Amino acid sequence: MHPDLPKLLDVQGKDRHLSEVSARRDELAAERAALDAALETARQQIAQAERAATDAAARRDAREAKLEAQRGLQEKRRARLEQERNPRVAAQLMADVEMARSILAQEESDWMRVAEEATQREQAVALATERLEALTAEQAEARESLVGREAEAEAAWSAAKAARDEAAAGLPKPLRTRYDRLHGSRHSEVLVPAVNATCTACYTSIPSSRIGQLQADSILLEGCEMCGAILYLEEVPA
Ligand SMILES: [Zn+2]
């Protein structure tokens, strides 16, 4: 057996483990992202409610100012009416006061409607804020457990990476470079068993000129002609 074969298989096994712990790390990152996204949505709902409340308050205040101005005018009309001695002018002023009163009544009812809406918008902000607080409290436990699981996954990843790098350091440099390049570019594994003189990754036959070398070394470092996988012979149980 070629001395590099067990080393290569060892690196490959450690890479397999490393990719498993990496997947675990990714899962936890997705879990954290989902918690963050839920909070972000709740924050956006508050911001949206706040904008609507600000707009409603501005409409209410504008109505109120207009109403106040009209009330002032009506007061002046009444004052003039009290002073007026000419019956014809007084009758006209009286008609004006009556007309203004019905307009004012309508304006007051509009103002109450707008003021009610502003109150409801403020309540919506309070509700949205409560929802965010509830969600934050609800997430506390999940986040706490997540911190622990993240720390475990991170430690597992660091250990797997260190073990992998140590194993890879035992390979001759050119072979290590080649392995790493193949590992980065292939979807399947770098070392693939040859069965019945065929690559088990792409099912291309190994040329007869190379079979002798495969049998002698248990490994064909040049790799499969078709897919580039490094081929090896698995130990056949006696
Ligand atoms: Zn192949």
Side-chain angles (χ1 to χ4, degrees), residues 93-113:
L93 274 172
M94 178 67 91
D96 289 350
V97 165
E98 280 308 309
M99 196 160 105
R101 183 157 63 196
S102 80
I103 291 171
L104 259 175
Q106 181 60 48
E107 291 284 340
E108 269 164 6
S109 123
D110 287 352
W111 170 78
M112 275 168 70
R113 184 176 48 76

Side-chain angles (χ1 to χ4, degrees), residues 186 199-204 224-229 231:
R186 287 176 62 80
C199 166
T200 54
C202 71
Y203 300 100
T204 298
C224 169
E225 287 187 321
M226 184 58 72
C227 73
L231 297 162

Side-chain angles (χ1 to χ4, degrees), residues 15-236:
D15 267 336
R16 201 180 292 143
H17 178 60
L18 181 61
S19 84
E20 280 163 14
V21 296
S22 291
R24 173 73 184 141
R25 224 166 48 146
D26 294 348
E27 260 172 47
L28 295 175
E31 211 175 298
R32 177 170 286 283
L35 290 173
D36 290 347
L39 284 186
E40 182 52 28
T41 301
R43 282 193 199 101
Q44 281 171 2
Q45 281 165 352
I46 293 175
Q48 204 178 351
E50 280 172 343
R51 281 193 296 274
T54 304
D55 291 351
R59 279 197 298 275
R60 179 200 57 206
D61 294 348
R63 286 260 175 196
E64 210 168 297
K66 195 176 158 193
L67 190 57
E68 281 306 312
Q70 283 172 344
R71 278 181 184 142
L73 287 174
Q74 183 72 327
E75 286 307 311
K76 281 178 189 159
R77 279 188 209 102
R78 284 184 199 282
R80 273 177 62 200
L81 181 57
E82 271 176 32
Q83 305 288 316
E84 188 55 58
R85 297 288 168 254
N86 180 329
R88 200 181 49 82
V89 177
Q92 182 56 54
L93 274 172
M94 178 67 91
D96 289 350
V97 165
E98 280 308 309
M99 196 160 105
R101 183 157 63 196
S102 80
I103 291 171
L104 259 175
Q106 181 60 48
E107 291 284 340
E108 269 164 6
S109 123
D110 287 352
W111 170 78
M112 275 168 70
R113 184 176 48 76
V114 172
E116 175 61 24
E117 196 202 331
T119 305
Q120 284 170 1
R121 297 290 188 195
E122 277 165 25
Q123 285 166 350
V125 173
L127 268 178
T129 307
E130 277 171 30
R131 275 200 299 272
L132 175 63
E133 281 164 10
L135 188 61
T136 305
E138 212 177 282
Q139 286 191 356
E141 206 179 315
R143 283 185 184 273
E144 203 182 308
S145 103
L146 189 56
V147 168
R149 286 178 292 141
E150 278 170 341
E152 275 172 32
E154 201 55 42
W157 185 86
S158 298
K161 179 76 167 71
R164 185 267 170 215
D165 288 347
E166 196 190 329
L171 292 174
K173 187 89 199 321
L175 188 54
R176 178 182 180 173
T177 305
R178 177 135 164 272
Y179 174 91
D180 283 342
R181 204 177 57 235
L182 285 167
H183 182 65
S185 63
R186 287 176 62 80
H187 293 296
S188 49
E189 296 198 298
V190 176
L191 281 100
V192 167
V195 175
N196 296 328
T198 303
C199 166
T200 54
C202 71
Y203 300 100
T204 298
S205 295
I206 299 158
S208 50
S209 58
R210 290 174 155 197
I211 291 198
Q213 196 197 338
L214 175 64
Q215 280 167 345
D217 291 344
S218 291
I219 190 165
L220 202 58
L221 282 167
E222 301 92 289
C224 169
E225 287 187 321
M226 184 58 72
C227 73
I230 297 175
L231 297 162
Y232 69 100
L233 286 180
E234 285 177 310
E235 295 279 354
V236 182

